[in-house]
Structure formats: C-alpha cells, structure tokens
Amino acid sequence: MSHFTDEIKKRRTFAIISHPDAGKTTLTEKFLLYGGAINQAGSVKGKATAKHAVSDWMEIEKERGISVTSSVLQFNYDGYCINILDTPGHQDFSEDTYRTLMAADSAVMVIDASKGVEAQTRKLFKVCVMRHIPIFTFINKMDREALDTFELLDDIEKELGIATCPINWPIGCGKEFRGVFDREHREIEFFSETHKGTAMGEVRKIALDDPEVGTLISAEQKAQLNDEIELLDGASAEFDLALVSKGELSPVFFGSALTNFGVETFLQHFLQMTSSPLPRMSNLGSIDPMKEKDFSAFVFKIQANMNKAHRDRIAFMRICSGEFEAGMDVFHIQGGKKVRLSQPQQMMASERKMIEKAYAGDVIGIFDPGIFSIGDTLTTSPDKFAYEGIPTFAPEHFARVRQMDTMKRKQFVKGINQIAQEGAIQIFQEYNTGMEEIIVGVVGVLQFDVLKYRLENEYNVEIKLESLPYEHIRWIENEDIDLDKLVGTSDMKKIKDLKERPLLLFVNSWSVRMTEERNEGLILSEFGRS
Ligand code: G4P
C-alpha cells in the first residue's frame, strides 16, 4: 500500500454535538490532553468575558496558549490522526453548524446526565440521521446528581428514535458516584477525583467478582448494580458494529469530563468502533479514498473576514481522496476552471499556519477570491466528478428586509446576494413583489445582526429588519404543482427561493401537518436541494 493510504487509514474525522453547557468544550479539552496537544488540564474559564461569536476552540486557545484552528482541531493519539470539527452550538448557532456535520464521518453526542436530550442536540442529531453516520453518546456530569440511567437511555431512544447500547454502566451518581462497570470485560473502573489535573490518571480496574469490590462500594450499590446488569444483559440491544456504522445504534458511555473520568476509555472505544474516511457519492458514483489516488475535496463552509482591512474569504474544504500539496493546481468543477491552491492555511485565532500536506479526512482553508460556493468540488482527477450537493437547512427565524436608501439598490442586491452565497443567510421572495422586498431566513438569530453589520460596513447600505412570526419552512418537492389549488392554513405564506422553487412558511408545526393532510400527494421537505 502506498504512503497516502497509510495516512488516510489513521484519520478519524468527527464532530461533537451537544446543547450548550453539556460539556463539549471540557470533553474536547480532555481529548487534547490525551493527544499531548496540551499538558495541563483545568476547566476552560473566561466564558463571561468571551465575545459570543468566538468559538470554543478560541477559548481553549486563549486559556491554554495553544494554537488551534477555528474550524478544525487536529491531534494525534495512539497512532491515529484525529480531526475534531467545530460545531458552534452557542449563540452563534447557524447553518454552518449543520454544514459542518456534512464534513464529519461520525458524531459524538454529549448529554448532560441531569438533563437528558435537549433542544440543540435534537436539531443537530437530525442531520446525523439524514446522513446515516455513526453517533456515539457520552453521558456527562455523572459526578453530579443525574437522572435515572434507564430513563436517560429511554429518553434518547424515544426523543431521537435511535437504539442505544451501553458499553459501560454507571455506579451511582453525584456524591455517590463510584465509577463505571465495563460490560465487555466485566470489571469496574473506579472513579477518583485525582484524574482531574493529570494527563492519564490512574484508572483502577477490578473484576466484578473480586471480593475487594465489596470494600469499595456499598452493599446496596453492589446489589443494585447486579440487578441492573441482569436487566441490561436481558433487555438492551446487543452491540452490533454494522448497526453502529449505519447510525442505527448508538454506543453509550458514562463519565465526567470535568474530573477526566471515563474520557480515555471512551476515546479508545470510539477509535476502534469508527472507520477511516469512507467513500462519498459523486455524480459518477462512489469515490473511495482507498482507491482514488487523485485529490478531491468539497467546500462546506465559507468564512468572510469580519475585519474590513482584510476583505478576504476563506473556503473550508474537506478532503475526500488523495493527497493535498501546497500550491497544487486543481480543477474547480462548478467554476469550470483550473485553480491553484496556493495559500492553504489552517486558521488560527491569532495567526494562520500554512500547511504543506494534507490527506483525505483533513480540512483545509483556502483563500477564496469570491469564486467558490458551498458544495463545490475541487479535484485533480481527469474524470472531473462532482460530489453530491450539500442540502440547504431549514431556517427557523424570518424577517422582511427593507432597504432605507433606494438609490443604493445595486449595492443592496449585490451585498445580500453575496452574503447569501456564503450561506450565512437564505433569501426568499414573495410572489407578487420584486427584489425590493426580500425575506431573509436564518438558523440562528445572531445572523440577523451579522447581516445588518456587514451590509452597513462592507456595502454601505442601511437596512431595517422587521421580524416575521414564521418558524417553519417547507420546500415543495412536487415537480408540477398548481399553487393556487393548494389548500393551506390561515397562517401559511407562499414564497419562492432564488431558484424560483416554491416554499411554504408556517407559524406552527400543527399547520404543516394540516396542510399535508389537506392536500393529497403533496410532498414537503425540511431540506432544500442545493
Ligand atoms: P459546552 O462547551 O458544551 O457549552 O460546555 P462546557 O464544557 O463549557 O461546560 C459547561 C459547564 O459544565 C462548565 O462549568 C464546566 O466546567 C461544567 N462541566 C463540564 N463537564 C462537567 C462534568 O463532568 N461535571 C461537572 N460537575 N461539571 C462539568 P461552568 O461553571 O460554566 O464553567 P467553569 O467556571 O467551570 O469553567
């Protein structure tokens, strides 16, 4: 096997999804600790002072004085090369968050043991399900009071519709937390606060039937554990790697990221149970990184620099096959032209590091003179294939945009179209108006502020946003539809996107269902095709 397949085999590229405060940053920090990227642990502080659009990685960077990228964080552990993709889950929640999942090969879902499944997790989870990627669950904060373990698993199964398979099982929680029982090896890993500040920590493992166990956990806890093990062995889904790979069964682990307990076990299992980058679909069929020697990548995120002095854009692309070398010429499929990837960089919060080589599974940021769009393919393959498009995700907040100075019509249209092309916002039109009235849809409300700011600063155009009550958007999938014949609800609004595709806006989900029921054969979709 050649050198590049060896490199690809080592790659694991995943995203961590969670509701804010479940522990994503803390868990990431502990992963870095095991990877040797940082050498001292401690909780990431300074949230209150951090600007809300600053990503978690940057917080880590500021705290620890290490360089991490704003989009991907790479480290080595046990012979693996691990890429963790940043999915901002906080105030800056936007379509980028969803799109990042398109670049991941698997996802780690962090759940707060005292809360169970929360709103943001549910949203991100839907995208993982759509892509059938493996989902691993880490139930965090076991050192605090937690919900009943069976209830937590039930919650995941019911709320998210995925079967779960606990790989380990917690013994107590909060002050009574004693550790986890490893189901495969039938041994207990004992919890100790001492792991907190150390890289590896010493995990004490004792077989379940060892008499010493009786001196470490109470008779009551031992009895409860025995009952629960029996119940689990009889009732829970059996571990099946094939189902995990298809995203139909989620392996579940328990631990406490803050005290660094259960993190390394989780990481080790995760690495064994996931695979290196897999084939991706293109218009010429599936492209297998193990067979395709030519370089190929697709753009999943475009970030414009908010700094006026550098009006550049960075296109982030996920490499899907072959080897990347700085300065190489590649063919940009959608642009129909050769481009030189001459300023490859991994974005750092304070500096940009140039990279020389990268492989399938890695993410690189390339200077974009304004030619790339989300979903574009770049390749050196003579076959000139294009990867499948990235779906447009349903915005959840809408506003009507009014331009204040009609003399600046041209700048306004140019600005709003460019910002939409970057994917930060989606723009729609009403049926009876032209470009003078535009409806903007966003996934996270912060994008409204970003839009206003950028139009003012970069295009010198002032706008007013009037918020609309709609929360649900559906693309009409039927090819030939007579919109006048559609029987909707009173809160429904018909609009179209820039490609003239018809859409419906609703105030509540009840109306969506009602409209579906009232119109036989109507196919509504939450994702638009790109
Ligand atoms: P996020 O990125 O998912 O938003 O969560 P983050 O890691 O920032 O964690 C949110 C809060 O939960 C932090 O506390 C963090 O210390 C705490 N936390 C994370 N994992 C655990 C755990 O396993 N056990 C316990 N008890 N707490 C945990 P904070 O008070 O917001 O910040 P800090 O002052 O502790 O840094």
Side-chain angles (χ1 to χ4, degrees), residues 36-301:
I38 54 177
N39 33 24
Q40 190 197 1
S43 53
V44 179
K45 290 257 164 64
K47 272 198 164 175
T49 51
K51 272 207 241 120
H52 61 189
V54 171
S55 94
D56 294 337
W57 304 155
M58 293 188 192
E59 273 174 44
I60 296 177
E61 167 159 333
K62 271 194 297 186
E63 282 303 303
R64 301 272 148 251
I66 52 155
S67 287
V68 292
T69 75
S70 70
S71 220
V72 64
L73 201 152
Q74 191 178 66
F75 67 96
N76 295 300
Y77 172 80
D78 200 17
Y80 293 94
C81 176
I82 301 165
N83 292 305
I84 306 183
L85 303 174
D86 184 9
T87 55
H90 295 78
Q91 299 93 326
D92 52 345
F93 195 77
S94 72
E95 255 202 284
D96 274 348
T97 313
Y98 287 141
R99 289 207 196 94
T100 298
L101 289 173
M102 303 304 290
D105 294 326
S106 58
V108 167
M109 174 165 74
V110 184
I111 287 181
D112 183 331
S114 69
K115 304 215 168 105
V117 176
E118 296 176 88
Q120 218 89 296
T121 322
R122 217 173 284 138
K123 286 204 235 171
L124 292 167
F125 183 85
K126 265 196 202 165
V127 182
C128 298
V129 169
M130 180 186 82
R131 293 204 45 223
H132 306 289
I133 58 173
I135 300 164
F136 289 74
T137 308
F138 185 78
I139 300 192
N140 192 29
K141 306 198 186 182
M142 288 308 299
D143 58 310
R144 290 230 185 115
E145 285 310 307
L147 297 175
D148 175 77
T149 317
F150 285 105
E151 259 176 47
L152 274 166
L153 297 182
D154 242 26
D155 191 35
I156 297 170
E157 302 208 347
K158 284 211 190 87
E159 284 268 358
L160 307 175
I162 185 173
T164 57
C165 175
I167 303 298
N168 56 34
W169 191 258
I171 304 164
C173 66
K175 286 198 179 65
E176 303 299 316
F177 183 50
R178 295 287 172 269
V180 294
F181 169 67
D182 179 326
R183 293 181 65 203
E184 189 195 348
H185 300 105
R186 315 301 284 181
E187 59 189 18
I188 298 176
E189 290 180 17
F190 282 93
F191 171 69
S192 145
E193 285 258 6
T194 55
H195 306 305
K196 202 167 174 172
T198 61
M200 298 305 157
E202 223 177 88
V203 182
R204 209 158 162 219
K205 294 180 187 172
I206 302 176
L208 181 67
D209 50 17
D210 190 313
E212 205 195 335
V213 168
T215 65
L216 295 163
I217 63 174
S218 69
E220 207 183 3
Q221 277 188 319
K222 178 87 199 301
Q224 186 184 347
L225 178 65
N226 283 335
D227 285 352
E228 289 178 344
I229 292 172
E230 205 179 310
L231 203 62
L232 261 185
D233 291 348
S236 84
E238 260 182 57
F239 180 75
D240 180 339
L241 194 57
L243 290 179
V244 173
S245 307
K246 285 192 278 185
E248 289 171 19
L249 178 71
S250 179
V252 180
F253 300 79
F254 295 82
S256 158
L258 184 70
T259 56
N260 196 8
F261 180 79
V263 176
E264 191 172 28
T265 309
F266 173 62
L267 184 60
Q268 286 164 342
H269 280 91
F270 171 82
L271 293 168
Q272 280 162 18
M273 292 176 185
T274 47
S275 70
S276 53
L278 293 171
R280 287 223 169 207
M281 273 317 273
S282 79
N283 59 342
L284 297 184
S286 143
I287 307 292
D288 186 345
M290 288 302 162
K291 295 189 187 132
E292 176 65 60
K293 284 204 267 316
D294 287 309
F295 166 86
S296 70
F298 70 89
V299 177
F300 67 95
K301 174 171 162 177

Side-chain angles (χ1 to χ4, degrees), residues 52 85 148 166 254 343 372 409 421 447 453 530:
H52 61 189
L85 303 174
D148 175 77
F254 295 82
Q343 291 184 36
F372 298 127
R409 176 100 235 112
Q421 194 194 350
Q447 298 307 320
Y453 175 88
S530 60

